Amino acid sequence: MEKKTFRDYLYLGITLVAVIATCILIGFGFQHWEGIAAFLSKLVAVTSPFIYGAVLAYLVSPAYNRVQEGVCRLFGSRTKKAGGRAIRTISKMIATIVSLVLVIAIVGSVVALILPQLIESIRKIYESLPQYWYNINDAIEQKLMNNPDLEQSVKTQLSNAYERFRLWGEDYLRGLDMSKITDLISQFSTGILGILVEIKNWLIGLIVMVYLLNLKEILSAQAKKVIYSIFSTKTANAIVEEFHYVDRVFGGFIVGKILDSVIIGILCFLLMTIFSMPYPMLLSAIIGVTNVIPFFGPFIGAIPTAILVLLVSPIKCLWFLGLILLLQQFDGNILGPKILGDSTGLPSFWVMFAIIFFGGFFGFVGMIIGVPLFAVIANLIKRVVHHWLKNKGLPVETDKYIHLKRIDEETGETISKKND
C-alpha cells in the first residue's frame, strides 16, 4: 500500500474544510433565502444600466468588430504613412457611431412601425369581443342543434360566466371610493415611474455600451492578467480557453437565434398579409418573439395566436396553423441549421431539459439562455472528467463504456459484457 505524504493529508484536509464550508453556506442560504433573494433583486435593480449596457455591447460587438476591421484596412491601405494608433482611434470612433446608429435604428423601427400596429390590433380585438361572443354562441347552436339539452347546458354556463364578469365590473366601478381611487392613482403613478426608470436605465445602458465596446480589449487583457497571476500557466490556459468557448457558444447561439427569429417574424408577417389573416403584425410579433425560445418556442407562440384567429374564423385558423407548421418546418430544417449550425452540440433531450430547468428558475430569460448555459456547463464537466480519466490512464471515448462490465486494474483495458 502506497504511503501517504504530508502533502496528501494537507490536500485532504483542505478538501474536507471546503466541503464543510460549502455545506454551511448552502444551509445558510436556505435558511435566509428571502433576505438573499431581496438582496439579489436590489443588486440587479441597481446594476440594471450596466447589465443592459453589457447585453447591448455583446449583441452589437460583431457589427462593431466588422466596421472597425474594415476601417483599419481602408485607412491602412490609403494612408500608409499614418500612425497605427491614429488609425485605430478613427476606426473605433466610426465603429462606435455605426453601433449607436444600429441600436437606435432598430429600437426606432420597432417603436415607429410595429408598436402602433400592435396597439391597433389589440384595440380591434377589444372592440370585436361582442362579435366574438356572438360567433361562439352561433357555433354552439350549429354544432349542437341535434342535442338541445347539451346546447342549453353549454349556453347557460357561458351566459352565467359572462353575467358574472359583467356584474363584477359593475360592482367594482360602483364600489370605487376615495381610497380605491387613491390606490388606482398610486398604482398608475408607480407604473409610469417604473417605465421612466426603465427608459433611464436603457439610456444609461447605451452610454455603458459605448464604453464597453471601446474598452473590451483592455478589460479582456486585464482579466487575463489576473487569471495568469493567480493560477499556474497550464491552469490559466485552460481557463482562458474555456472563456473563449463560452463566448463562441453564447455569441453563436444568442445572436444567431435573434437573427433567425427576426427573419421568421418577417416571413410570418408576409404570409399573414398574403393570406389576409387578422391582426398580421400582432400574430407575427408573437411568433417572432417566442421563436427565440428553442424547442418549445413554436408551440408557445402558436397556441395564443391560433386562438385569436379562431375567434375570427375557424377556417382561417386551420389555414393559419398550416402556415405556421410550414414556417416552423422551414426554420427547423433549413433556416435554423444554416444560421446556428451546431453551436451548442447538445442532444435534443438535454436541450429540452435545459429549457425546462432554467426556465423554471429564471422565466423567459432562462428559457433563452438555458441552452447555451447548459452547453457550457456540460462542456466543463466533460473536460474535467476527461482530465481525470487521462490521469488514471483510462479511455475517454464514450463508446467504450456502453457495454462496459469492468476495467482491468492492471492493464486499464475495458472488458465488455459481450465478451463474457
Side-chain angles (χ1 to χ4, degrees):
M1 183 176 178
E2 184 180 355
K3 186 177 179 181
K4 292 186 178 294
T5 62
F6 173 76
R7 178 175 294 182
D8 295 330
Y9 285 111
L10 179 62
Y11 286 161
L12 182 62
I14 293 174
T15 303
L16 183 61
V17 171
V19 171
I20 295 173
T22 302
C23 293
I24 293 174
L25 287 175
I26 292 174
F28 178 83
F30 278 117
Q31 289 180 353
H32 302 83
W33 175 248
E34 291 184 0
I36 294 174
F39 170 76
L40 292 176
S41 178
K42 182 66 175 178
L43 182 64
V44 171
V46 171
T47 58
S48 290
F50 296 94
I51 295 174
Y52 295 162
V55 171
L56 289 174
Y58 191 78
L59 294 177
V60 180
S61 183
Y64 177 91
N65 294 337
R66 292 284 181 86
V67 174
Q68 185 183 8
E69 292 169 2
V71 173
C72 283
R73 286 196 300 267
L74 178 63
F75 277 77
S77 61
R78 294 189 178 183
T79 57
K80 296 189 177 181
K81 294 183 180 180
R85 179 175 296 180
I87 294 175
R88 287 194 297 271
T89 302
I90 295 172
S91 65
K92 285 185 176 181
M93 289 176 56
I94 296 176
T96 301
I97 294 172
V98 171
S99 300
L100 277 172
V101 170
L102 180 63
V103 173
I104 294 173
I106 292 174
V107 175
S109 299
V110 171
V111 173
L113 298 177
I114 299 178
L115 188 60
Q117 295 194 42
L118 289 179
I119 295 174
E120 180 65 17
S121 298
I122 295 172
R123 185 186 65 81
K124 287 182 178 179
I125 291 174
Y126 177 77
E127 292 177 350
S128 302
L129 284 177
Q131 182 62 37
Y132 294 157
W133 183 261
Y134 173 79
N135 292 340
I136 292 173
N137 280 277
D138 185 61
I140 292 173
E141 291 178 359
Q142 295 294 329
K143 298 296 182 183
L144 301 179
M145 62 173 53
N146 296 327
N147 194 339
D149 293 336
L150 181 59
E151 176 189 354
Q152 185 61 35
S153 176
V154 172
K155 292 179 69 175
T156 300
Q157 294 297 327
L158 289 174
S159 298
N160 290 339
Y162 179 79
E163 189 65 19
R164 283 196 296 269
F165 178 77
R166 186 184 64 81
L167 291 174
W168 172 83
E170 292 179 355
D171 292 341
Y172 182 79
L173 293 174
R174 192 183 305 114
L176 282 177
D177 52 17
M178 187 55 64
S179 62
K180 289 184 178 180
I181 294 175
T182 304
D183 291 339
L184 286 175
I185 294 174
S186 176
Q187 293 174 8
F188 179 77
S189 302
T190 302
I192 295 296
L193 181 61
I195 293 174
L196 293 176
V197 169
E198 283 298 311
I199 294 175
K200 181 264 295 182
N201 288 340
W202 280 108
L203 291 176
I204 298 176
L206 281 176
I207 300 174
V208 173
M209 179 195 77
V210 172
Y211 278 107
L212 290 178
L213 286 174
N214 289 277
L215 294 175
K216 58 188 179 67
E217 294 179 355
I218 296 176
L219 294 175
S220 175
Q222 291 174 343
K224 292 174 184 176
K225 282 177 62 178
V226 173
I227 292 172
Y228 280 96
S229 68
I230 296 175
F231 302 98
S232 65
T233 303
K234 182 178 180 181
T235 304
N237 286 335
I239 294 174
V240 171
E241 183 181 350
E242 189 65 26
F243 274 109
H244 284 310
Y245 176 79
V246 171
D247 179 57
R248 288 197 306 272
V249 171
F250 271 84
F253 182 83
I254 295 180
V255 176
K257 196 62 182 173
I258 291 175
L259 177 61
D260 172 71
S261 299
V262 169
I263 295 174
I264 290 298
I266 294 173
L267 291 176
C268 182
F269 178 74
L270 294 176
L271 289 174
M272 298 301 103
T273 304
I274 292 171
F275 287 89
S276 301
M277 293 292 172
Y279 322 118
M281 183 57 71
L282 179 61
L283 300 179
S284 303
I286 295 174
I287 293 295
V289 170
T290 55
N291 192 72
V292 178
I293 302 173
F295 200 82
F296 294 108
F299 304 101
I300 296 174
I303 293 172
T305 50
I307 293 174
L308 289 177
V309 180
L310 178 64
L311 292 174
V312 177
S313 171
I315 300 300
K316 284 190 174 183
C317 181
L318 293 177
W319 277 100
F320 172 76
L321 290 175
L323 292 173
I324 294 300
L325 179 62
L326 290 176
L327 191 62
Q328 295 303 333
Q329 288 298 314
F330 167 75
D331 181 35
N333 297 306
I334 299 175
L335 183 63
K338 189 71 175 179
I339 295 177
L340 296 173
D342 191 16
S343 56
T344 61
L346 288 177
S348 300
F349 171 80
W350 292 116
V351 171
M352 180 175 65
F353 173 82
I355 295 170
I356 295 174
F357 182 81
F358 290 102
F361 280 98
F362 306 108
F364 183 77
V365 175
M367 298 179 79
I368 297 174
I369 68 170
V371 174
L373 180 59
F374 188 82
V376 170
I377 296 173
N379 179 71
L380 181 61
I381 294 174
K382 184 181 76 172
R383 288 167 64 93
V384 171
V385 170
H386 285 190
H387 176 71
W388 289 345
L389 289 173
K390 288 179 180 178
N391 287 344
K392 295 182 178 181
L394 300 177
V396 297
E397 296 82 2
T398 304
D399 294 341
K400 294 187 177 181
Y401 292 86
I402 293 178
H403 300 289
L404 178 68
K405 182 179 180 181
R406 65 187 182 89
I407 296 179
D408 190 277
E409 298 178 7
E410 296 182 358
T411 62
E413 295 182 357
T414 58
I415 300 174
S416 174
K417 295 179 181 179
K418 296 181 178 180
N419 297 331
D420 290 351

